[in-house]
Amino acid sequence: MNFLKNNAAKYGLALTASIAIWIAVMHMTGLYSEEKTEITIIDYLYIFIPLIGLFFGIKEKKHILKSKFTLKAGVKEGFQISLIYAILSPFVFYIYYIAINPASIEFAKKAYGMEQFSTKAVIFADMAVQFVFSLLGGLVFSLIISYYLARKRK
């Protein structure tokens, strides 16, 4: 249970849950339907979920550290949040592909230009892309957020 008291773990899990909720809402509203053929602007909005989660996670770390908060401490915290999210979030997509909407694999195959590959290969590629972009995006967002919060005095 100490794991859940860790700020990075708490926000990494919260981000993963938020993405699961996002996918569920998109699916229930029909925006992630079996007939999906193209990426829409609403698909890009999910990028803001990790951004918001990282902001609040790093901000809470700043509150915990008070005057000892540095750019390095913020980036480290953001990276830890991103790492937990990067490890867990691909499995949210895996469950979606396998259990909820297997037909969405066809869209993923087209999006990645992998029409000739097996379903397993496409799911693996999608999980790998999710992992890498969660880490890299999280690192970039963490740097920006930490810089902002380190310069902000209150």
Side-chain angles (χ1 to χ4, degrees), residues 116-135:
Q116 71 278 12
F117 289 88
S118 71
T119 296
K120 287 180 182 179
V122 174
I123 291 172
F124 178 78
D126 188 60
M127 291 176 73
V129 166
Q130 177 70 20
F131 178 82
V132 169
F133 279 102
S134 295
L135 271 184

Side-chain angles (χ1 to χ4, degrees), residues 86-106:
I87 291 169
L88 297 176
S89 66
F91 293 100
V92 172
F93 287 91
Y94 176 79
I95 291 166
Y96 180 72
Y97 287 143
I98 297 301
I100 298 169
N101 190 2
S104 64
I105 295 294
E106 294 308 313

